[in-house]
């Protein structure tokens, strides 16, 4: 039983490392992030990816494994990235009405 647990933990660590690399690559492409795996953006996106459901209702953990084609995992990471960007945009949009109201009062 201990062997099964340690094997599962090792697989999880390898999957996490792969996911961290893919997250950095996605951010590099879209944000010209310089592929710094430990940057604040990469860590923020990775945390989001690991703790939220993807748009198709799955968790990223479901896509980690030996039988998954890397392109399919990359597609899921891109779906997660689109969702992350959308939520970030909404949080910024929430600040815009304050600016819009200030402009309306001035005119």
């Amino acid at each position: 039983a201990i062997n099964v647990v340690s094997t599962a933990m090792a697989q999880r660590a390898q999957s996490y490392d792969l996911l961290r690399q893919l997250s950095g690559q996605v951010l590099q492409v879209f944000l010209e992030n310089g592929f710094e795996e430990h940057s604040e953006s990469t860590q923020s996106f990775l945390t989001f990816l690991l703790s939220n459901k993807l748009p198709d209702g799955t968790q990223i953990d479901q896509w980690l494994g030996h039988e998954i084609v890397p392109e399919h995992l990359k597609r899921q990471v891109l779906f997660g990235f689109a969702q992350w960007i959308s939520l970030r945009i909404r949080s910024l949009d929430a600040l815009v009405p304050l600016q819009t109201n200030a402009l309306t009062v001035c005119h």
Side-chain angles (χ1 to χ4, degrees):
I2 293 173
N3 212 10
V4 172
V5 171
S6 62
T7 302
M9 289 175 63
Q11 289 174 342
R12 176 101 171 133
Q14 287 175 334
S15 295
Y16 179 83
D17 288 342
L18 174 63
L19 198 54
R20 188 178 65 233
Q21 282 182 331
L22 285 173
S23 297
Q25 289 172 0
V26 167
L27 288 170
Q28 179 186 17
V29 169
F30 287 98
L31 303 176
E32 297 180 12
N33 197 36
F35 189 49
E36 297 174 20
E37 289 183 28
H38 300 289
S39 74
E40 186 177 327
S41 296
T42 300
Q43 291 303 317
S44 175
F45 174 54
L46 182 59
T47 299
F48 173 83
L49 199 57
L50 290 169
S51 60
N52 290 281
K53 286 187 176 186
L54 298 170
D56 65 1
T58 62
Q59 293 282 141
I60 196 68
D61 288 351
Q62 294 173 255
W63 293 93
L64 301 174
H66 299 290
E67 302 105 29
I68 301 300
V69 178
E71 288 76 22
H72 293 179
L73 179 59
K74 191 174 253 185
R75 181 189 66 212
Q76 293 305 113
V77 170
L78 287 170
F79 283 148
F81 181 71
Q83 183 179 12
W84 182 65
I85 290 294
S86 176
L87 291 173
R88 307 244 325 160
I89 288 170
R90 278 191 239 151
S91 67
L92 291 174
D93 284 347
L95 300 175
V96 173
L98 299 175
Q99 295 295 326
T100 305
N101 287 341
L103 291 174
T104 304
V105 171
C106 291
H107 293 299

